[in-house]
Amino acid sequence: MKKYFFAVIINLILQNLTIAQDSQSTANYTQTIRGQVKDQVTKSGLPGASISIPGTEPLKGTITDMDGNFVLTEVPTGRVSLHVSFIGYENAYLREIPVSSGKEVVLEIVLRENLEDMEEVVVKAGGNPQDATNELAMVSARGFDMEATNRFAGSRNDPARMAQNFAGVSGANDSRNDIIIRGNSPTGVLWRLEGIDIPNPNHFGAMGTTGGPVSILNNNLLGKSDFMTGAFPAQYGNATAGVFDLNMRKGNAHKREHLVQMGFNGLELGTEGPLGGENGASYLINYRYSTLALMQNVGFSSGTGDAIPYYQDLSFKVDIPTNKKGRFTLFGIGGRSNIDLIGSKVDSSSTDLYSELSQNIYNRAKMGVIGLTHTKYYNDNTYGITSFSADHSFSGNVVDSLSLETREPVPSYRNSYGLSKYRAQYHFHQKLNQKNNYIVGFNYDILGFNLQDSVYRATYDHFVELRNESGHSGLVQSFIQWKHRFNNEWTGTLGLHHQYFTLNGSQQVEPRMGMNFQPSDRSSFSFGYGLHSQLQPLPIYFLETDLKNGEFVRTNESLDFTQSHHLVAGYQYQFSPDIRLKTEIYYQHLFNVAVEKHPSSFSMLNAGADFGIPNVDSLVNQGLGRNHGLELTLEKTFSQSSYFLVTASIFDSKYQGSDGQWRNTAFNSQYVFNGLFGKEWKMGSNNRILALDLKSTLAGGQYITPIDLNASIEAQEAVFERDRAHSIKNPAYFRTDFKIEYRVNKKGLTHEWSLDIQNVFNNQNMFRQTYNPITRDIVNSYQLGIFPIPQYRLTF
């Protein structure tokens, strides 16, 4: 069936190529580019800034109005570059902006104030595409936008999978989009949306984790966002590994536009447009519903065997600027998912990524976030942002063990985890002068929880509760971050972050600092330090220990924050406006890590290596960890119809449990190499574009704990050799992805067809080892083989 589906897709593309060639060979379509030019620090509009399209004859351009807004009409489709200048500010050059007939281009461009006369710097849509939007981030930070998440082969329109191509990041897991940063657990990553910390934004996400098989985040709504891998600024807290700081773009405030998208990930509908009159208010909304059941019917495997994942999600943003009362923004995302993994229906020889031969698992999950922000400008150099938000996440599982003789289900485990957070925060921004600016902020989170889980004990013939808790706690955070520009060469930042956990009175004060030295227009040196702290996953605090006398005690309730020192040094060289080389070296020391009270190899630094968090009681903050490594990035941003990205990461990640032995962490793959290349061709005119993208990844295998076969046979389930934890290294991971895309511009609309073929060489990459109780043997499970993902997108 699959080969016939491929034939249909290829035939449709060829037909459209022919039709487009016949009907559009002489058509010339145009589009409108509009946006706003802002000060990098104050975010206020710059009136009178000049915007022009170099190379046009006569020169096509305009100037911004009193609010910094501009409009360029009748811009030819294809790719165009913009030159932006304003007296007293560094010039900007936005390279190769994609322009299609189906959607207007809306830009937000920021300019940095000039301390002295400087030569032009190259930026794109508010900054060089590699530079972070947060100008306080001196090291280990880069920016990305919707175009990057759409472009890279193998990314599945997922910002997390896209980030796995960056230096310092390893994925090497086809089943989930976990972000492993510099050997850290993915649970150490902070997700933030519109300035608000949010829970795991993934379908089928287990409580306490930060990844999942399918992202709830909609890449069609993303604006310029930041990804940070270490020593991040003081406004970020409760994270030890990295930060995903995401922003949703604003809807088009001048024209209604729509989107229809159909692919492996689902059927998606989107719309945006103005609200009211000419005040600049807009809305943006997208809805997606899973179509995996349909895709499996035509021959595509979702990697879940006979089980079919169901999910749906909704994303929206409403932006309302006012003349005197500031700007109001309402935003939200939400999704729900379910899947039934029926082990009793799985063949005994199966190596399915998710299903267990010995269990039936019924999984349900949902999450939602809604937030309201108010930005108030007190004067041209000062503004404050007040935010209120609420979020909720739920994960529920029913697990039944299967009898080896009859394959009948026997009750085994039940859980129902619900976490809620209500946040109020205020951030005050002020630019004192050309050289100095600062941010001070306060966040208060009310943490609600309803945690219930139990395990069936055959000796008692009933379920025994592990947790049965509901109530509220709180997390208070405050910070201050200051930036000083000594001159055009030297820039420094200092910051302080404070956290207080009301459940047990734990608190931490965390200093942060950064420095950047740019001796020339081409080269720069950077250094950063930060002390970062993170709470344990909330369910860990409420795990109850059975004292065997009918009493239960919370032995984890007094756990402190896990802490981490980050030290980073970097160098960057700009060969040309579009090609750069960047390298960073880092060292991370982790302490106050939760480990077992009695001597063992367990450490919470390995949490997140599986689909949930461990149920381990009697933990104390006495563990250690260390990560160090070297990273290299050679990158060409899109120009002259092509781009490339080459990254190399060499690192080592170790931990020490309560037994005092240093071991490899579960995430110590030791090396990751990525190579990406893309090229576009005009098919006769700017109205027809053919694009090819290629990606290859080579990563070291992760360390696993061996299974004791004899003990497993006796126990009729997997028994691990804990004294040899993470001592066996899996074979190396290798995968190549190939993507072909064809775009056609017609009057008022754009068609896009793509086929993303992941693992084109069908390489067998080790996923995990499991014990098969039927064959009484250890089984190697492998990751996805060749995995084609077709997609059609229409914008109009």
Side-chain angles (χ1 to χ4, degrees):
M1 177 69 75
K2 188 183 297 186
K3 66 180 180 180
Y4 296 116
F5 188 83
F6 272 132
V8 171
I9 292 293
I10 294 172
N11 187 50
L12 285 173
I13 292 176
L14 291 175
Q15 287 186 34
N16 277 278
L17 279 167
T18 304
I19 294 171
Q21 189 171 7
D22 291 342
S23 63
Q24 299 182 61
S25 57
T26 59
N28 292 308
Y29 298 119
T30 63
Q31 187 54 274
T32 297
I33 298 178
R34 64 175 79 245
Q36 187 179 28
V37 181
K38 297 181 176 182
D39 180 280
Q40 183 188 47
V41 176
T42 67
K43 311 303 181 187
S44 58
L46 298 177
S50 173
I51 301 97
S52 60
I53 302 177
T56 53
E57 201 54 56
L59 184 66
K60 191 177 187 63
T62 187
I63 60 172
T64 59
D65 63 15
M66 292 302 296
D67 296 317
N69 298 312
F70 69 91
V71 179
L72 285 170
T73 60
E74 297 184 353
V75 178
T77 57
R79 288 187 178 267
V80 300
S81 298
L82 295 182
H83 182 273
V84 185
S85 62
F86 186 65
I87 297 175
Y89 284 74
E90 298 172 7
N91 292 341
Y93 190 56
L94 288 70
R95 303 175 63 85
E96 304 278 353
I97 303 167
V99 180
S100 67
S101 57
K103 180 174 176 52
E104 290 188 347
V105 178
V106 181
L107 301 173
E108 187 173 290
I109 305 168
V110 295
L111 300 182
R112 188 170 73 159
E113 193 169 5
N114 208 348
L115 297 184
E116 305 169 2
D117 289 336
M118 284 186 66
E119 295 181 5
E120 179 177 296
V121 294
V122 179
V123 298
K124 174 180 180 290
N128 192 301
Q130 308 102 342
D131 293 342
T133 304
N134 188 333
E135 41 95 21
L136 298 174
M138 297 286 104
V139 295
S140 301
R142 66 166 294 149
F144 65 93
D145 54 19
M146 182 180 73
E147 186 183 358
T149 58
N150 285 334
R151 179 192 301 147
F152 292 162
S155 294
R156 303 191 196 177
N157 298 333
D158 181 350
R161 284 188 166 90
M162 178 272 302
Q164 292 174 357
N165 299 301
F166 298 153
V169 183
S170 57
N173 186 338
D174 300 341
S175 66
R176 296 169 60 84
N177 62 3
D178 290 308
I179 298 297
I180 300 171
I181 298 174
R182 294 175 173 174
N184 286 280
S185 165
T187 61
V189 175
L190 171 67
W191 287 94
R192 176 174 283 197
L193 180 65
E194 292 290 307
I196 300 292
D197 298 354
I198 64 173
N200 183 354
N202 289 283
H203 289 295
F204 310 101
M207 200 64 62
T209 65
T210 59
V214 182
S215 177
I216 294 175
L217 295 166
N218 192 305
N219 71 303
N220 288 311
L221 274 66
L222 286 181
K224 183 71 182 293
S225 302
D226 290 343
F227 179 63
M228 306 178 190
T229 57
F232 27 91
Q235 64 260 57
Y236 306 105
N238 198 25
T240 54
V243 177
F244 248 116
D245 192 356
L246 302 170
N247 294 298
M248 299 173 74
R249 63 181 179 85
K250 300 170 188 173
N252 193 330
H254 302 274
K255 179 184 178 183
R256 301 198 188 281
E257 298 175 328
H258 314 285
L259 173 144
V260 177
Q261 184 170 295
M262 176 87 176
F264 187 86
N265 286 336
L267 172 64
E268 183 176 327
L269 303 174
T271 185
E272 62 183 282
L275 282 175
E278 297 297 321
N279 62 345
S282 65
Y283 70 90
L284 179 67
I285 184 169
N286 273 59
Y287 171 76
R288 180 176 59 173
Y289 186 81
S290 167
T291 55
L292 287 176
L294 174 62
M295 298 299 290
Q296 292 203 165
N297 287 336
V298 296
F300 284 89
S301 170
S302 61
T304 56
D306 292 330
I308 299 176
Y310 294 94
Y311 55 85
Q312 56 184 313
D313 49 64
L314 177 74
S315 305
F316 71 90
K317 180 176 181 178
V318 177
D319 183 71
I320 304 176
T322 65
N323 292 328
K324 296 182 179 180
K325 296 182 179 180
R327 180 182 294 271
F328 295 87
T329 302
L330 177 70
F331 67 93
I333 64 170
R336 60 192 308 159
S337 54
N338 64 275
I339 188 172
D340 297 337
L341 302 166
I342 311 301
S344 57
K345 296 182 179 180
V346 177
D347 184 84
S348 62
S349 62
S350 172
T351 56
D352 188 284
L353 268 66
Y354 299 91
S355 299
E356 293 281 356
L357 283 169
S358 59
Q359 295 178 331
N360 289 343
I361 303 173
Y362 306 87
N363 172 267
R364 306 290 183 270
K366 59 184 177 181
M367 71 82 67
V369 179
I370 188 168
L372 176 66
T373 65
H374 174 230
T375 303
K376 175 65 176 178
Y377 284 89
Y378 302 108
N379 55 52
D380 290 341
N381 294 320
T382 308
Y383 68 98
I385 303 177
T386 304
S387 303
F388 300 96
S389 68
D391 64 61
H392 177 75
S393 56
F394 169 84
S395 176
N397 290 278
V398 173
V399 181
D400 292 334
S401 297
L402 298 175
S403 168
L404 294 180
E405 292 78 20
T406 66
R407 304 294 288 161
E408 292 297 319
V410 177
S412 175
Y413 176 75
R414 307 285 188 267
N415 80 350
S416 176
Y417 292 164
L419 296 179
S420 301
K421 182 171 87 267
Y422 304 93
R423 164 170 283 206
Q425 72 178 38
Y426 179 73
H427 294 177
F428 180 82
H429 303 244
Q430 186 171 43
K431 180 179 180 179
L432 299 174
N433 50 47
Q434 287 180 315
K435 294 187 174 184
N436 295 279
N437 64 279
Y438 69 92
I439 305 176
V440 60
F442 174 83
N443 312 327
Y444 179 63
D445 295 334
I446 300 175
L447 306 174
F449 52 88
N450 187 350
L451 308 171
Q452 300 174 9
D453 64 344
S454 57
V455 61
Y456 184 78
R457 301 297 187 194
T459 53
Y460 303 143
D461 194 27
H462 64 77
F463 281 89
V464 175
E465 288 183 344
L466 299 176
R467 300 176 187 83
N468 188 4
E469 300 290 340
S470 62
H472 293 84
S473 185
L475 178 64
V476 183
Q477 300 181 71
S478 57
F479 70 90
I480 183 169
Q481 182 87 33
W482 169 69
K483 178 180 179 181
H484 177 70
R485 297 178 64 191
F486 299 91
N487 49 46
N488 278 332
E489 289 77 37
W490 287 94
T491 303
T493 62
L494 281 175
L496 205 63
H497 188 97
H498 174 260
Q499 299 189 86
Y500 176 74
F501 187 36
T502 63
L503 178 70
N504 57 23
S506 300
Q507 62 178 324
Q508 299 294 338
V509 177
E510 308 160 6
R512 316 280 175 88
M513 68 160 292
M515 186 69 68
N516 184 273
F517 171 56
Q518 187 175 353
S520 70
D521 294 341
R522 290 181 177 269
S523 62
S524 64
F525 298 86
S526 57
F527 171 79
Y529 164 76
L531 175 61
H532 305 273
S533 304
Q534 185 178 27
L535 291 173
Q536 314 304 323
L538 202 58
I540 292 292
Y541 291 94
F542 301 100
L543 187 64
E544 296 184 333
T545 303
D546 186 356
L547 300 182
K548 308 301 183 184
N549 60 358
E551 294 185 21
F552 292 86
V553 178
R554 296 182 192 166
T555 54
N556 295 338
E557 189 173 21
S558 61
L559 283 173
D560 205 341
F561 293 80
T562 294
Q563 294 183 269
S564 174
H565 291 291
H566 289 211
L567 286 166
V568 183
Y571 172 74
Q572 178 172 307
Y573 186 81
Q574 199 82 30
F575 292 99
S576 65
D578 54 355
I579 299 178
R580 67 155 188 168
L581 172 70
K582 181 178 181 180
T583 183
E584 285 193 333
I585 187 170
Y586 65 88
Y587 179 79
Q588 183 183 7
H589 173 68
L590 297 110
F591 58 103
N592 279 355
V593 178
V595 296
E596 288 187 288
K597 188 175 183 179
H598 64 272
S600 78
S601 61
F602 175 82
S603 172
M604 281 298 291
L605 292 184
N606 296 311
D610 209 336
F611 289 94
I613 58 173
N615 287 320
V616 180
D617 59 7
S618 304
L619 299 178
V620 292
N621 292 101
Q622 295 179 2
L624 297 173
R626 62 173 183 247
N627 303 313
H628 56 89
L630 173 68
E631 299 165 1
L632 181 72
T633 299
L634 179 63
E635 182 170 12
K636 175 181 181 289
T637 58
F638 194 97
S639 63
Q640 297 179 334
S641 302
S642 68
Y643 73 91
F644 64 77
L645 172 64
V646 178
T647 63
S649 306
I650 302 172
F651 63 97
D652 191 52
S653 177
K654 294 287 198 296
Y655 80 98
Q656 186 183 76
S658 56
D659 61 1
Q661 295 187 36
W662 283 96
R663 294 180 170 86
N664 296 292
T665 68
F667 312 103
N668 189 21
S669 59
Q670 298 180 319
Y671 64 87
V672 182
F673 302 103
N674 292 300
L676 296 91
F677 172 78
K679 173 72 174 176
E680 286 187 359
W681 290 271
K682 297 177 182 178
M683 306 295 288
S685 72
N686 287 333
N687 297 325
R688 294 176 288 117
I689 302 294
L690 178 67
L692 299 179
D693 299 273
L694 184 69
K695 169 195 170 182
S696 284
T697 297
L698 175 65
Q702 295 182 351
Y703 283 90
I704 62 173
T705 301
I707 297 174
D708 187 327
L709 181 58
N710 292 329
S712 299
I713 293 173
E714 183 177 349
Q716 298 184 356
E717 63 180 7
V719 177
F720 294 90
E721 299 181 46
R722 299 298 181 185
D723 58 335
R724 298 177 60 202
H726 310 294
S727 61
I728 305 296
K729 188 174 178 62
N730 278 336
Y733 174 99
F734 176 73
R735 194 179 98 180
T736 297
D737 303 329
F738 175 77
K739 181 180 179 181
I740 180 171
E741 181 178 355
Y742 180 64
R743 298 192 297 271
V744 176
N745 287 307
K746 295 186 177 182
K747 187 175 182 179
L749 56 85
T750 300
H751 299 279
E752 298 177 25
W753 295 268
S754 67
L755 181 63
D756 191 348
I757 306 175
Q758 302 184 11
N759 197 5
V760 292
F761 299 123
N762 201 29
N763 194 58
Q764 280 198 323
N765 293 305
M766 177 74 79
F767 179 52
R768 60 178 177 175
Q769 283 190 341
T770 57
Y771 173 70
N772 187 327
I774 299 176
T775 62
R776 297 172 46 151
D777 201 0
I778 296 173
V779 177
N780 291 332
S781 297
Y782 294 93
Q783 308 208 50
L784 293 176
I786 187 169
F787 194 59
I789 300 179
Q791 178 176 288
Y792 169 72
R793 188 169 182 256
L794 172 67
T795 53
F796 59 99

